[in-house]
Amino acid sequence: MGQLSDLVIDLPSDREITLTRTFDAPRELVFAAHSEAEHLTHWWGRGNPLDVEIDFRVGGRYRFVEHTKDGNSYAFRGEFREIVVPERIVQTFEFEGMPGHVVEETLVFTERDGRTVVTGTSRFDTTQERDGMLDSGMTQGAAESYAALERYLATLV
């Protein structure tokens, strides 16, 4: 489909979106940044203040609330379905502003020459839901969050 900054966007099927981004950091650190509250607060909400509740285990749940500069708050939640440290996370994702629209996300972490490729595939119930997510600005938000993650990781390595 295309590229947005350093984020590669693909539509592998009529119900999926795949986002791929490479980070200049080891896989264990990038995985931790996706699974530990102390790291998530620095990047997940595009660098905006973020409240994080996370129980990182199969069957555990998470809830993130992003607080934007315009005073609005946006909440997201999900459940962890599969965890293979530091290779893979399968989780659900739901924007609380649109309850009932649950996406299954699979994140795969691959290390190449000390850099980490994160491939995230979101699977939707229908093509219309996938297209609605694309139209909502999801890819721009993901690009901004991953840019914030790149900046944060640079402070750690």
Side-chain angles (χ1 to χ4, degrees), residues 22-75:
T22 301
F23 297 94
D24 192 17
R27 177 169 73 166
E28 288 76 13
L29 182 58
V30 177
F31 188 93
H34 282 79
S35 58
E36 298 175 12
E38 67 189 79
H39 296 304
L40 286 160
T41 58
H42 292 277
W43 71 270
W44 195 90
R46 301 173 294 160
N48 289 321
L50 187 73
D51 300 327
V52 174
E53 298 170 23
I54 186 168
D55 179 12
F56 190 67
R57 62 180 175 81
V58 173
R61 298 181 178 276
Y62 70 88
R63 184 170 187 262
F64 304 152
V65 180
E66 177 185 1
H67 304 281
T68 59
K69 292 173 182 57
D70 62 9
N72 290 316
S73 295
Y74 301 93

Side-chain angles (χ1 to χ4, degrees), residues 1 4 62 68 99 117 134 138 156:
M1 179 176 172
L4 187 62
Y62 70 88
T68 59
V117 178
L134 285 169
M138 168 254 210
L156 301 177

Side-chain angles (χ1 to χ4, degrees), residues 57-147:
R57 62 180 175 81
V58 173
R61 298 181 178 276
Y62 70 88
R63 184 170 187 262
F64 304 152
V65 180
E66 177 185 1
H67 304 281
T68 59
K69 292 173 182 57
D70 62 9
N72 290 316
S73 295
Y74 301 93
F76 306 86
R77 65 180 173 210
E79 180 179 321
F80 297 104
R81 293 186 169 169
E82 180 185 341
I83 298 169
V84 181
V85 179
E87 301 170 10
R88 178 180 166 96
I89 301 170
V90 179
Q91 64 193 23
T92 61
F93 174 87
E94 181 179 13
F95 171 49
E96 290 183 5
M98 293 183 67
H101 296 276
V102 179
V103 178
E104 183 176 82
E105 295 183 332
T106 300
L107 298 169
V108 176
F109 303 80
T110 308
E111 188 163 335
R112 293 190 189 130
D113 302 320
R115 302 182 79 203
T116 302
V117 178
V118 178
T119 304
T121 302
S122 298
R123 184 166 179 80
F124 299 81
D125 288 335
T126 67
T127 302
Q128 292 76 16
E129 285 190 356
R130 182 206 65 183
D131 293 348
M133 184 66 81
L134 285 169
D135 292 342
S136 77
M138 168 254 210
T139 54
Q140 178 66 37
E144 291 171 5
S145 287
Y146 273 167

